[in-house]
Amino acid sequence: MRDEAAKRVELVFSLFDANGNGVLDSGDFDLMTGRVLEAAAASDDGAKDAVRAAFRRYWTTLATELDANGDGVVSVDEFRPFVLDPERFGPAVAEFAEALSALGDPDGDGLIERPLFVSLMRAIGFEEANIHALFDAFGPDADDRITVATWAAGIEDYYAPDKAGIPGDRLVTAHAV
């Protein structure tokens, strides 16, 4: 695993530990889902249902694949070596990427405006300066929008252990506001 991917893993674990108890459990994903749905108030029920299902699948995949001792939680030690395994997590990540990026496009025009992107990413827990750096790295158009496909691909790249120098790396590097 590349160093950049290892840093992304550490950040993802800290964000998914939404209740801050040091492990991942189903409650963390319920909290995260609620925060994201609150930020996506303008999205339709289908998009919201897809995000709920994607978060649920993500947790189920983690629990099934990584809870080595069967205690119902995933520790950072259980999480770290396996989460960036495309064979194990590729389908869950792809579903999550598609659902989250679609949630950012409530009007269905295929474009995501910066304010909603920022709101959704803040709901997940990313730092605002890093969110703006990521959005800029995606190459927004003159109206400050990115495509749904660009964001979905960026999410999938974020979970790729062999990728470095990707837009998502901006989420793990401190950026000035």
Side-chain angles (χ1 to χ4, degrees), residues 115-147:
L116 182 52
F117 180 85
V118 170
S119 293
L120 291 169
M121 294 294 282
R122 287 286 301 156
I124 292 170
F126 291 104
E127 296 293 326
E128 188 155 346
N130 295 9
I131 297 166
H132 286 286
L134 173 62
F135 194 85
D136 291 340
F138 283 148
D141 67 14
D143 292 323
D144 209 24
R145 304 170 303 183
I146 60 170
T147 66

Side-chain angles (χ1 to χ4, degrees), residues 142-164:
D143 292 323
D144 209 24
R145 304 170 303 183
I146 60 170
T147 66
V148 170
T150 295
W151 192 16
I155 294 168
E156 290 190 51
D157 285 350
Y158 189 87
Y159 287 91
D162 58 339
K163 301 255 178 152

Side-chain angles (χ1 to χ4, degrees), residues 1 3-17 76-77 79-81 83-84 158 172:
M1 177 184 329
D3 184 53
E4 295 88 344
K7 290 177 183 175
R8 294 190 304 256
V9 166
E10 296 298 322
L11 179 59
V12 166
F13 185 89
S14 71
L15 297 176
F16 280 162
D17 182 15
V76 69
D77 291 332
F79 184 82
R80 193 178 287 126
V83 74
L84 295 180
Y158 189 87
V172 296

Side-chain angles (χ1 to χ4, degrees), residues 97-113:
E98 183 178 321
L100 183 61
S101 59
L103 197 66
D105 181 24
D107 61 5
D109 66 356
L111 299 168
I112 300 167
E113 289 80 19

